[in-house]
Amino acid sequence: MEHANVATPFGRRPMSLAMMASQKTARAMPEGACVHKWQTFHAIREARELLGASDRGLSVLNALLTFHPDTELSSDGTLIVWPSNAQLASRANGMSPATLRRHLAVLVDCGLIIRRDSPNGKRFARKGRGGHVEQAYGFDLSPLVARASEFAALAEQVAAKKRAYKCQRERLTLLRRDVIKLIEAGLDEGVVGPWETFSEHYRRIVDQLPRSPSIETLDDVCDALEQLRHEVHIVLEKHAISENMSANESHSERHIQNSKPDYISESEKSSRKIDEASGAAEENDNLKSLPKRELPLGIVLDACKGWHHLAKDGEIRSWRDFLAAAEVGRVMLGVSPSAWHEACEVLGERYATIALAAIYQRADQINSPGGYLRNLTDKAREGKFSVWPMIMALLNAKLEAGKAAAQASSQTQRATESRKGGFEVSDALRQSMKRWSS
């Protein structure tokens, strides 16, 4: 192999210990070593950040490799190329001379090439009688052969990090989807649970994600979302278990046989007809005794004072202003779109909004506003619900304002963020909430 001794750069270029180390590595190249130059270049390109090389520097290295006639780089052959700056710049996509010199220096500093400068700094080759190169001055590519295995290992390390990063991104996407879908399922099904707490905690976690997060940040976010998903799943699972138990009990009750025959005697039929004809029959519910006229807006606003805060400019002058605040109230109460649309279809938009305003007025007493609204919708579908009793109850409660205010104050002080809807937030989730809220 030519130039086994240390080669110093021409002119005012300084010599460094890094250059000596690179030349020592090249001299330690085993005999008969042979690598595919483009495969090695691909490995260098993948590991360029670890090697300290730039993309422009790699374009210069790519141009240098094109001046080597063979596809393979062998320790037994000539590994020095001697293109002029003009030729090299032409193959490097017209790079300017100053930029070319700068990136050639970067390649030398990274230990990817070695300068073999002639006494006068020119690049050329001296050939013998047989046409073989006896002496060449230019850029030595032997580090590519000597460090080929190192480049391949670094490229595999980078590829492994990319795969891990991709897996974490996929995990993040799945966790975000799971948490959102599970919370929406709980709201849609009317499950009693701390859905507002879950939603706020999810938003705090996601809002702290940068545009290009590191893999460490992704790990922390995914762990927090994993804990949140576990908590939401527990709430839904408990509800499913209670539903199954209730279904089993009702199924068992249907198999209980009644020993008494299910018929009505003629005397009972005749007495019932007489009572109904005389108007003595009692109604099971009092809906028919309620006023038939529509509720005045003033009465509704007097009963639902808090609804003013949701309106534009805090004022409600007409039913249009009253209805416009429904979307804001629905979101604040955590009522799902499906539950709201169903209520509007059954009750009508105006009465559904009145019911929502009454629920908003009593939000501190209702664990699951969405489930409560669904329950009212089901009763209205069967003709067993009217908004009149809700408004009258609020007005009656207003007459006892002192007592009700004292009770509401004590209930508010006893309530904590960790207990909503009869479910207690676990210690692990509470610590996570403190961490992500800070």
Side-chain angles (χ1 to χ4, degrees), residues 49-216:
E49 294 183 359
L50 298 179
L51 296 171
S54 62
D55 52 350
R56 300 293 296 277
L58 291 183
S59 65
V60 176
L61 179 60
N62 179 78
L64 283 173
L65 290 175
T66 61
F67 287 99
H68 193 278
D70 299 328
T71 305
E72 294 183 345
L73 302 178
S74 175
S75 60
D76 298 333
T78 301
L79 294 175
I80 298 177
V81 293
W82 52 92
S84 65
N85 281 356
Q87 292 174 327
L88 193 55
S90 176
R91 296 196 185 183
N93 302 322
M95 189 177 293
S96 66
T99 304
L100 179 65
R101 290 192 295 270
R102 184 170 67 252
H103 289 294
L104 283 172
V106 171
L107 292 177
V108 174
D109 293 339
C110 293
L112 298 178
I113 60 175
I114 298 174
R115 290 184 184 273
R116 301 291 183 184
D117 290 344
S118 65
N120 61 359
K122 300 294 183 179
R123 301 177 199 138
F124 63 89
R126 183 180 295 113
K127 297 182 180 180
R129 293 182 178 180
H132 298 289
V133 177
E134 293 182 350
Q135 189 73 29
Y137 297 99
F139 299 104
D140 192 351
L141 304 177
S142 57
L144 303 184
V145 181
R147 301 175 62 188
S149 58
E150 176 190 350
F151 298 148
L154 291 176
E156 179 59 30
Q157 179 180 347
V158 171
K161 287 185 177 180
K162 288 182 178 179
R163 289 193 297 269
Y165 188 83
K166 183 179 179 181
C167 290
Q168 283 298 85
R169 295 286 300 192
E170 293 175 351
R171 181 189 174 201
L172 174 64
T173 302
L174 292 175
L175 285 171
R176 292 183 65 174
R177 185 181 69 189
D178 289 350
V179 172
I180 292 175
K181 296 287 186 180
L182 290 175
I183 292 177
E184 288 181 350
L187 292 172
D188 290 341
E189 298 295 334
V191 179
V192 178
W195 304 116
E196 184 178 353
T197 300
F198 290 153
S199 300
E200 292 176 356
H201 184 41
Y202 169 79
R203 181 50 53 192
R204 282 197 295 268
I205 295 173
V206 174
D207 286 346
Q208 298 192 27
L209 266 176
R211 184 179 295 272
S212 299
S214 63
I215 191 168
E216 292 78 11

Side-chain angles (χ1 to χ4, degrees), residues 313-427:
D313 301 330
E315 295 184 7
I316 297 179
R317 303 180 182 89
S318 63
W319 280 112
R320 178 180 299 179
D321 298 337
F322 184 82
L323 299 178
E327 188 62 25
V328 179
R330 180 191 70 80
V331 175
M332 294 187 64
L333 290 173
V335 177
S336 64
S338 61
W340 174 242
H341 293 156
E342 186 178 0
C344 290
E345 290 178 358
V346 177
L347 291 169
E349 184 179 5
R350 177 177 296 188
Y351 287 112
T353 306
I354 294 174
L356 190 67
I359 294 174
Y360 182 82
Q361 190 68 24
R362 299 175 53 217
D364 58 335
Q365 305 173 22
I366 299 175
N367 294 326
S368 177
Y372 189 71
L373 182 61
R374 283 187 181 275
N375 186 29
L376 297 181
T377 304
D378 293 338
K379 290 183 177 180
R381 188 181 288 108
E382 299 174 358
K384 298 180 180 180
F385 169 73
S386 172
V387 294
W388 273 95
M390 296 183 70
I391 299 302
M392 294 300 106
L394 290 174
L395 292 175
N396 291 333
K398 189 177 178 181
L399 297 177
E400 303 175 356
K403 181 179 179 180
Q407 292 178 353
S409 176
S410 62
Q411 289 176 1
T412 303
Q413 292 176 358
R414 289 195 301 267
T416 61
E417 285 187 7
S418 61
R419 180 177 295 273
K420 291 186 178 182
F423 288 89
E424 185 173 356
V425 180
S426 67
D427 294 337

Side-chain angles (χ1 to χ4, degrees), residues 24-40:
K24 181 180 179 181
T25 302
R27 289 195 301 271
M29 177 176 50
E31 296 183 2
C34 182
V35 298
H36 193 287
K37 66 179 182 181
W38 298 121
Q39 291 180 355
T40 304

Side-chain angles (χ1 to χ4, degrees), residues 214-406:
S214 63
I215 191 168
E216 292 78 11
T217 303
L218 287 178
D219 289 339
D220 294 340
V221 172
C222 288
D223 291 343
L225 289 177
E226 188 85 43
Q227 176 66 30
L228 178 59
R229 183 180 66 174
H230 177 68
E231 297 287 338
V232 176
H233 186 266
I234 288 177
V235 174
L236 295 177
E237 193 174 47
K238 288 182 178 179
H239 177 76
I241 292 175
S242 62
E243 289 290 325
N244 290 335
M245 292 178 63
S246 300
N248 292 335
E249 291 175 359
S250 61
H251 181 72
S252 301
E253 289 174 358
R254 285 194 296 267
H255 285 79
I256 299 176
Q257 295 183 357
N258 189 355
S259 58
K260 296 182 179 180
D262 188 13
Y263 68 92
I264 301 176
S265 62
E266 293 295 331
S267 59
E268 291 175 341
K269 288 182 180 179
S270 59
S271 62
R272 178 173 298 181
K273 290 179 181 179
I274 296 172
D275 292 339
E276 290 178 356
S278 61
E282 296 181 356
E283 298 288 346
N284 291 328
D285 57 67
N286 62 347
L287 292 183
K288 294 184 179 180
S289 62
L290 296 174
K292 303 300 181 183
R293 61 186 178 89
E294 294 184 354
L295 272 167
L297 179 60
I299 294 179
V300 176
L301 294 178
D302 192 28
C304 306
K305 287 290 186 181
W307 200 249
H308 289 83
H309 304 298
L310 307 181
K312 187 177 180 180
D313 301 330
E315 295 184 7
I316 297 179
R317 303 180 182 89
S318 63
W319 280 112
R320 178 180 299 179
D321 298 337
F322 184 82
L323 299 178
E327 188 62 25
V328 179
R330 180 191 70 80
V331 175
M332 294 187 64
L333 290 173
V335 177
S336 64
S338 61
W340 174 242
H341 293 156
E342 186 178 0
C344 290
E345 290 178 358
V346 177
L347 291 169
E349 184 179 5
R350 177 177 296 188
Y351 287 112
T353 306
I354 294 174
L356 190 67
I359 294 174
Y360 182 82
Q361 190 68 24
R362 299 175 53 217
D364 58 335
Q365 305 173 22
I366 299 175
N367 294 326
S368 177
Y372 189 71
L373 182 61
R374 283 187 181 275
N375 186 29
L376 297 181
T377 304
D378 293 338
K379 290 183 177 180
R381 188 181 288 108
E382 299 174 358
K384 298 180 180 180
F385 169 73
S386 172
V387 294
W388 273 95
M390 296 183 70
I391 299 302
M392 294 300 106
L394 290 174
L395 292 175
N396 291 333
K398 189 177 178 181
L399 297 177
E400 303 175 356
K403 181 179 179 180

